[in-house]
Amino acid sequence: MKILLVQSYLGNAESPVFPLGLACLTPTLAGHEVRVFDPNTSTRPFEDLRKELWDFQPQIVGISVRNIDSTNKRKVVFYYPYLKDAVAAVKETSAAKIVVGGSGFSMFAREILDDLPAIDFGLFL
């Protein structure tokens, strides 16, 4: 099975951070063809996500939601709209099932699933 793991986009509000959660998850998916895409390292994050989806043709797309907003109280940035953009990009470009998880998702799992019915599965702790 082809699985694309996607780090949540932070809108260039913060420096890119290594997607540790996805790196830890990848070995558990042994036996599957897995790619990781981090839009935070791209100048065209959603266009490049669509290209990756088109080129790879995954059956599952996992999106890791690291944060819902910035922790900088002087300049608060909300990342949730970027999750909506990522889910829309997947639905527009692919027939893959969407699985969302991560610490940011876990805090608001029910609200996110209610707001984004295009998400097929959510994993929370």
Side-chain angles (χ1 to χ4, degrees):
M1 180 178 292
K2 290 182 173 183
I3 302 171
L4 178 63
L5 300 176
V6 179
Q7 177 74 353
S8 55
Y9 182 58
L10 302 176
N12 291 323
E14 298 182 30
S15 298
V17 176
F18 182 77
L20 187 58
L22 296 181
C24 291
L25 182 61
T26 301
T28 67
L29 300 171
H32 299 283
E33 190 175 347
V34 179
R35 288 190 189 176
V36 176
F37 176 76
D38 186 351
N40 296 292
T41 61
S42 171
T43 58
R44 305 170 330 138
F46 299 107
E47 293 88 349
D48 289 346
L49 173 58
R50 285 181 183 89
K51 183 177 182 332
E52 184 70 22
L53 289 161
W54 182 256
D55 292 346
F56 186 50
Q57 295 292 311
Q59 284 94 11
I60 295 175
V61 175
I63 302 174
S64 174
V65 180
R66 185 172 147 245
N67 294 334
I68 295 296
D69 61 23
S70 63
T71 56
N72 182 344
K73 298 303 176 195
R74 292 182 185 175
K75 183 179 178 188
V76 177
V77 178
F78 294 98
Y79 304 131
Y80 184 66
Y82 300 127
L83 173 61
K84 288 183 166 188
D85 292 340
V87 169
V90 174
K91 282 300 180 189
E92 292 166 6
T93 313
S94 171
K97 296 291 184 187
I98 299 174
V99 181
V100 179
S103 56
F105 174 78
S106 292
M107 290 187 294
F108 300 102
R110 175 54 42 208
E111 292 86 351
I112 291 171
L113 289 172
D114 287 346
D115 189 51
L116 289 171
I119 296 172
D120 296 294
F121 302 98
L123 302 172
F124 64 94
L125 298 174

